[in-house]
Amino acid sequence: MSARHPLPRWMDIVLLPAINLIMAFTISGLVVLMIGESPLEAISIILYGAFGYGDGFGYTLYYATNFVFTGLAFAIAAHAGLFNIGGNGQAYVAGLGVIIVALALDQTHWLLAMPIAIVAAGIFGGAWALIPGYLQAKRGSHVVITTIMFNFIAAALMVYMLNRVLKPASSQAPQSETIDVAGRVPQLREFIPFFGYSPVNLTIVLAIAALVAAYFLIWRTKLGYQLRTLGQNSVASRYAGMSNSKLIMIAMTISGACAGMVAVNEVMGVQNRLVLDFVADAGFVGIAVALIGRNHPIGIGLAAVLFGALYQGGQELQFSMPTVTVEMIEVIQALIILFTGAMEGLFRPALERSYALLSFEQNAEATRRATVEPES
Amino acid sequence: MDLELILSMANATLRLATPLLLAALAGLYSERSGIFDIGLEGKMLAAAFAAAATAAVTGSAWLGLFAGVAVSIMTTMVQGFASITLKGNQMIAGVAVTMLAAGLTTFLGQTWFGQGGRTPQLSGDARFERIILPYANELSGVPIVGPIYAWVLSGHYILVYIAFLAVPATAFVLYRTRFGLRLRAVGENPKAVDTAGISVTFQRYQAIFITGILAGLSGAYFSIAQGAGFGNEMTAGKGYVALAALIFSKWRPVPVMFTCLLFGFLDALQIRMQSTELPLIGEVPVQAIQALPYVLTVVLLAGFIGRAVGPKAGGVPYVKER
C-alpha cells in the first residue's frame, strides 16, 4: 500500500470543507429541483434575505450569535476527544440561571445584570455538562449516551420549572415573568438603526470575545495543551502526568458553560422571559458549525454566520416559495453534518492520492538531485 | 385498584411498549455487531412518514408497511455506508441521519400533501386493524385467565404480536445460530473474525439490514397502526428511549423485552396520572415520570446499579491490517 501523504494545510481546512459543502448544497438543490422549483432562485432569495437589507442581516447575526456558542461548545469538547451532543440541554438549563439573575436584578442596570447573568448561565450550563463529564471520567459511562439522556431530562425539568415554579400566578402560558427593560441586554438597533427590528443584541460582542478566548484557551495555554493531548492520545496524556479524569471534567464544564451563553442571548436579549424550548435545536446546529469550521474559532465564526444566513434566508424563502419550507434548511444542515462529519472518508483518500501523485514528480526530482549532488 | 384498571393499564403497557421493543431490538442487532446506533429515531421517523404517505396514496396498510421498511433500510444503509465502508464517526452519522429524517419528512410532507407536514388521515384498509384473538369473547367469562386473554392479550395490531415474537426469534438467532455467533464476534473482536476468513464488513452490513427492517416496523407502527397518519416529529424521542432500554438491558434480547415493558408501563402510568393525587406522596409531576427512563439509564450506565458494558468493538470502525 502506498503511504498516505497528509494533505497540505490549505487543502485540509479550505478545500475539503468546501467540497463537502458543495456536495450538501448540490443534493439539497436536487431536492428543490425535484419538487419543481429553481435552486438558483432559491439561493438568491436566501442570500438576499440573509444579507440584502438591515433587518435580514440583523437576524442572520442573531442566529449566528447562538451558533457561535454552541459551535464552540462542541469544538472545545471535541479537542479533548469528547463528543458533547448535549448542547441543547445545557443551554436550556442555563436559562434557569439567567432568569433568576435577570428577575432579581432587573430594577438595577443591565451593566450589572448582564455579567452576573453570564456567570450564572455558565454555572448552570457547566454543571449540566459536568455531570456527564464526571460520569465519563469516574464511572466510565459514555458521554454521548449520557448527554443525549441529559437533553431529555433537561426538557422534562424545564417544563416542570416553567409550569410549576416560574409561571406567575396570573398567567396561563408556561413562561416566566417578563424581565424589566432596565435588566435587558441592549439591542444593536439602539446604536445602529440599520438593523431595523431585528433582535441582534450586545450578546454578539460576548460571542466574538468567546471566539478569541477559545483560541487562546486551546492553543496558547497549558490547559489547552493538556486538553489537546488528551484528545489526541489519552495514554500519552496520562503518561505525561496529566489527570485525564480531571481534564475530562474541565473540558465538559467549559463546553457546557459555552453552550449556556445561548440562554443569555435568548432570555435577556430576545425573548425577555424564559419560554418553553427557547433553544430551538441550536445545540445540534452547533455540531454542524464546529464540524464545518474544523473546530477552529475562525472557522466556527464563519460557519456560524453561514448557518445564521441559512436560517434567516430559509424563513424568507418560505414566504417567497411556499413549497420550499424552512425544514429545507434542516436538510442542508443534516447533509453538511453527514458529509463533513461522518463521510469524510468519501473525498479525503481521493484528494490525498491525487495530491500524492501531483507531488510525486517533484519529490522524484528532489531525490534525484539529492542523490546525484554528492558525486559531482 | 380495581381489576378493570389493572387490565387496561396492562393493555396500554403492551401497546406503548411495542414501538420501543421493535426499535430496541433493531438497535440490538446493530450494536451487537459493533455499530453504535444513535440514529434509531431518524429511521423510525423516516419509516413512519413513508408508511403513512404510501398508505394514504395506495390505500393499503401492507404496502405502507412495506414502504416504511424499505425506506428505513435505505436510511440504515446510508448510515452504514458512512460508518462501515467509509469508517466515519458512527455517532455523527447517527445524528446526521436523524436530522435528515426530521427535515425531509416535514419538508416532503408539506410539498406532497400541503397539510403542514402531516399526511392525510388514514381510514379503512389504509390502516391496520386490531386483531381479536380466537374465542376472546367466549373466554372472557372464565375467571382470571379469561379477562387477561380477552382484554390484555387480544385486540392489538399485528405489529404488537410481531414485536413480541421477535424477542425469542432474536434470542435464537443471536445465541443458537452461526450467523448470531459471527454477529456477536464482530462486535467483540472483529480481528478474530477476519482472521477466520469471514468478512467483517459483510457481516456488519447484514446486521444493520435487520436493524433497518425492525426500525421500519417500529416507525410504521406509529403512523399506520397506533396513529392514523403521520405528524411532525411523531416518534417524539421514542428512538432514544429505545436506545436507553437497549443499554439498560445490557444488549440482551429477553431483558430488552422486560425493560421495554417497564418503560411502556411508565408511559401508560404517565398518561393515567395526569393530575391525579396519590396517597402519601401527593401529586407526582408528570415530567418526573417522563424523565424516569432516562434517569434510570444514566444511573445504570454510571454503574450504581449493576454495570452496563457494551460490545467491546462498538463504535470503532474495523480497519484491516495491511
Side-chain angles (χ1 to χ4, degrees):
Chain A
M1 176 198 160
S2 67
R4 276 168 68 164
H5 293 268
L7 288 174
R9 243 177 103 71
W10 69 270
M11 275 186 151
D12 194 31
I13 61 174
V14 180
L15 189 63
L16 208 53
I19 293 177
N20 289 321
L21 267 183
I22 291 168
M23 277 301 292
F25 278 112
T26 311
I27 295 183
S28 317
L30 288 178
V31 175
V32 173
L33 204 62
M34 198 179 80
I35 60 160
E37 295 281 357
S38 153
L40 288 178
E41 200 189 324
I43 286 181
S44 75
I45 293 172
I46 288 182
L47 282 179
Y48 177 76
F51 299 109
Y53 62 101
D55 275 281
F57 188 51
Y59 267 100
T60 298
L61 291 181
Y62 145 68
Y63 286 118
T65 309
N66 283 344
F67 301 157
V68 163
F69 293 132
T70 52
L72 279 178
F74 183 83
I76 289 170
H79 275 292
L82 297 161
F83 192 67
N84 175 17
I85 50 176
N88 263 11
Q90 290 142 18
Y92 207 1
V93 170
L96 277 182
V98 174
I99 199 67
I100 292 169
V101 172
L103 288 180
L105 297 177
D106 66 351
Q107 301 303 323
T108 57
H109 194 274
W110 67 268
L111 272 174
L112 177 70
M114 189 180 171
I116 299 179
I118 290 171
V119 173
I123 291 172
F124 276 74
W128 202 250
L130 172 64
I131 306 169
Y134 166 81
L135 293 174
Q136 158 115 29
K138 300 284 187 191
R139 315 287 312 190
S141 44
H142 207 304
V143 81
V144 176
I145 308 294
T146 27
T147 48
I148 293 176
M149 300 300 145
F150 267 66
N151 279 344
F152 286 99
I153 299 173
L157 173 75
M158 294 301 282
V159 171
Y160 175 78
M161 293 302 284
L162 280 168
N163 273 309
R164 304 294 177 91
V165 183
L166 292 165
K167 187 170 75 175
S170 57
S171 161
Q172 285 297 316
Q175 55 191 28
S176 75
E177 267 180 85
T178 307
I179 302 168
D180 206 72
V181 184
R184 297 178 191 169
V185 176
Q187 306 288 308
L188 278 196
R189 60 172 183 256
E190 291 168 27
F191 318 104
I192 314 168
F194 169 72
F195 287 119
Y197 289 98
S198 62
V200 59
N201 57 69
L202 273 187
T203 320
I204 196 170
V205 180
L206 180 67
I208 296 166
L211 285 172
V212 178
Y215 173 78
F216 276 97
L217 171 73
I218 295 169
W219 281 283
R220 290 286 178 268
T221 64
K222 195 172 140 194
L223 176 63
Y225 178 76
Q226 292 177 331
L227 292 180
R228 283 183 293 132
T229 315
L230 169 70
Q232 301 274 330
N233 188 337
S234 57
V235 180
S237 61
R238 198 170 59 221
Y239 193 71
M242 303 166 191
S243 164
N244 283 358
S245 55
K246 205 170 107 190
L247 285 174
I248 290 173
M249 289 192 275
I250 292 175
M252 284 303 286
T253 310
I254 299 176
S255 172
C258 236
M261 296 304 131
V262 170
V264 178
N265 187 30
E266 288 289 339
V267 177
M268 277 182 102
V270 182
Q271 313 279 358
N272 300 323
R273 58 180 76 85
L274 193 65
V275 296
L276 274 184
D277 210 17
F278 68 86
V279 183
D281 275 353
F284 284 106
V285 186
I287 301 174
V289 165
L291 286 172
I292 200 80
R294 285 265 173 254
N295 292 335
H296 190 285
I298 295 177
I300 289 170
L302 292 173
V305 174
L306 171 74
F307 273 98
L310 283 176
Y311 268 74
Q312 162 56 14
Q315 300 285 351
E316 300 267 325
L317 192 60
Q318 201 168 11
F319 286 114
S320 320
M321 272 187 193
T323 49
V324 183
T325 58
V326 75
E327 278 77 22
M328 193 64 220
I329 302 304
E330 203 178 343
V331 173
I332 297 178
Q333 175 188 323
L335 288 170
I336 290 177
I337 294 184
L338 190 65
F339 281 115
T340 48
M343 289 197 174
E344 222 199 24
L346 201 57
F347 297 109
R348 185 182 280 277
L351 258 184
E352 279 173 351
R353 231 170 290 134
S354 53
Y355 177 71
L357 271 181
L358 278 176
S359 55
F360 177 71
E361 287 164 20
Q362 296 167 12
N363 285 346
E365 180 70 11
T367 14
R368 194 185 55 81
R369 233 179 278 147
T371 43
V372 167
E373 263 168 28
E375 289 173 51
S376 59
Chain B
M1 272 214 276
D2 53 321
L3 184 69
E4 202 172 322
L5 181 65
I6 296 176
L7 289 178
S8 86
M9 280 295 282
N11 184 300
T13 300
L14 284 187
R15 193 157 39 80
L16 293 165
T18 297
L20 295 180
L21 182 54
L22 285 167
L25 288 175
L28 188 137
Y29 280 95
S30 179
E31 302 217 342
R32 267 298 175 96
S33 80
I35 307 294
F36 275 154
D37 193 351
I38 57 174
L40 285 173
E41 175 84 2
K43 287 169 220 169
M44 287 155 65
L45 203 55
F49 174 72
T54 311
V57 173
T58 62
S60 157
W62 285 102
L63 280 178
L65 184 68
F66 182 77
V69 169
V71 165
S72 168
I73 291 172
M74 270 157 52
T75 321
T76 313
M77 286 302 145
V78 170
Q79 198 186 341
F81 180 64
S83 356
I84 302 172
T85 306
L86 296 178
K87 303 178 174 58
N89 185 322
Q90 296 172 8
M91 301 299 176
I92 298 181
V95 171
V97 158
T98 305
M99 212 178 263
L100 192 62
L104 265 187
T105 48
T106 314
F107 175 70
L108 291 178
Q110 170 65 21
T111 315
W112 289 343
F113 302 105
Q115 298 180 2
R118 276 174 289 116
T119 59
Q121 230 17 51
L122 300 174
S123 55
D125 282 346
R127 197 180 157 198
F128 281 110
E129 301 259 344
R130 289 165 193 274
I131 295 175
I132 307 293
L133 293 181
Y135 308 114
N137 275 331
E138 289 82 344
L139 285 174
S140 64
V142 180
I144 304 173
V145 186
I148 293 179
Y149 182 74
W151 292 328
V152 179
L153 298 180
S154 172
H156 288 287
Y157 304 104
I158 189 163
L159 289 170
V160 176
Y161 302 109
I162 293 177
F164 283 89
L165 287 177
V167 176
T170 301
F172 179 79
V173 167
L174 210 58
Y175 298 120
R176 291 280 179 272
T177 65
R178 180 186 301 194
F179 172 77
L181 178 67
R182 288 177 178 177
L183 186 139
R184 283 180 292 137
V186 287
E188 297 289 339
N189 192 344
K191 202 173 200 172
V193 180
D194 198 21
T195 315
I198 300 154
S199 164
V200 174
T201 307
F202 184 56
Q203 190 67 39
R204 285 185 169 171
Y205 270 114
Q206 284 175 313
I208 64 164
F209 188 81
I210 303 175
T211 300
I213 296 174
L214 289 169
L217 294 178
S218 171
Y221 180 79
F222 281 98
S223 63
I224 59 174
Q226 195 182 39
F230 178 82
N232 292 344
E233 304 283 335
M234 109 172 284
T235 49
K238 286 286 186 285
Y240 295 108
V241 183
L243 186 67
L246 178 62
I247 298 165
F248 196 80
S249 44
K250 304 176 187 172
W251 295 268
R252 293 169 303 172
V254 176
V256 160
M257 181 180 77
F258 287 114
T259 310
C260 289
L261 284 172
L262 170 70
F263 289 178
F265 172 73
L266 287 176
D267 209 3
L269 194 67
Q270 177 245 121
I271 296 166
R272 169 81 49 173
M273 295 244 294
Q274 309 249 352
S275 68
T276 41
E277 299 268 338
L278 278 187
L280 298 176
I281 320 167
E283 192 185 341
V284 178
V286 184
Q287 291 82 20
I289 305 174
Q290 281 170 345
L292 204 52
Y294 307 111
V295 175
L296 282 175
T297 306
V298 170
V299 170
L300 178 85
L301 271 174
F304 294 121
I305 41 166
R307 197 105 184 80
V309 180
K312 275 200 195 64
V316 188
Y318 180 65
V319 184
K320 242 179 187 325
E321 251 179 87
R322 314 251 173 199

